[in-house]
Amino acid sequence: MRARGRSYRYVGPVELKAAVRPGSSGCRISSAAEFSDWIAGRSVAELTEPFTFVVATDGALRLAPQRSEHVACAGGDMVLGAGEISFVREADGWAVSEVSNQSTGYCPGIGSWSAVARALDGAGLGRPSGFTHEVVFRRCPGCQEHNIVRENDFVCVFCDSDLPEAWNVDPTV
């Protein structure tokens, strides 16, 4: 099954994708029970940091420790969303306290929120109404470097070229 939404291919360093080994992807979470089992196995230190997440092209949430590469969490595959996520225990279960699209390997657009929201809902996790921290990625048409746009300043930090308003990180799209 393929979920709805734009998919993102990995655009980060090739050596990181080359290091991905079969079976190394993040833990697939498709229910509150699966999440409870997974989170119970996390150390106290891990719980103080955000986790790495991806939304696979089948719509499933995959989670890995914070220092994991997104491409490894995705098993090298394309994703519908990627970023960092933190959780909080509430009276009626677990919920997302913070979530971003911060993934410099996939550089997902802020429109990836809809896929992330569907995956979180499918996993039975409470969530905010959108990313708690949105990251705007653009590829410079001049020097081809990937940029994080800060304060709506659409200018390349590497060569001072203007950056496009629309998402353009993957040159094959």
Side-chain angles (χ1 to χ4, degrees), residues 101-104 107 133-140 145-158 163 169:
N101 62 319
Q102 175 70 47
S103 168
T104 56
C107 302
H133 177 70
E134 292 180 341
V135 181
V136 176
F137 296 100
R138 294 295 185 271
R139 180 176 43 85
C140 178
E145 292 288 340
H146 295 159
N147 284 256
I148 293 176
V149 175
R150 300 188 196 305
E151 299 177 6
N152 281 328
D153 187 16
F154 285 81
V155 175
C156 178
V157 297
F158 301 99
L163 298 173
V169 176

Side-chain angles (χ1 to χ4, degrees), residues 12-133:
V14 294
E15 61 272 12
L16 293 180
K17 186 171 184 179
V20 175
R21 298 292 170 246
S24 66
S25 58
C27 183
R28 188 177 197 279
I29 306 292
S30 57
S31 70
E34 286 178 353
F35 179 80
S36 291
D37 289 345
W38 181 82
I39 200 82
R42 303 303 99 205
S43 71
V44 172
E46 283 180 298
L47 293 171
T48 64
E49 299 182 314
F51 294 96
T52 295
F53 83 87
V54 299
V55 177
T57 55
D58 66 359
L61 177 67
R62 291 193 173 275
L63 296 171
Q66 198 266 339
R67 293 187 182 8
S68 302
E69 293 293 338
H70 289 96
V71 69
C73 187
D77 294 334
M78 294 181 77
V79 300
L80 300 177
E84 296 184 348
I85 192 166
S86 298
F87 302 98
V88 63
R89 181 84 166 122
E90 295 183 338
D92 58 345
W94 286 91
V96 174
S97 57
E98 294 183 32
V99 60
S100 76
N101 62 319
Q102 175 70 47
S103 168
T104 56
Y106 285 99
C107 302
I110 57 176
S112 64
W113 171 253
S114 59
V116 174
R118 282 191 302 275
L120 294 171
D121 291 347
L125 295 165
R127 61 171 176 80
S129 60
F131 288 121
T132 55
H133 177 70

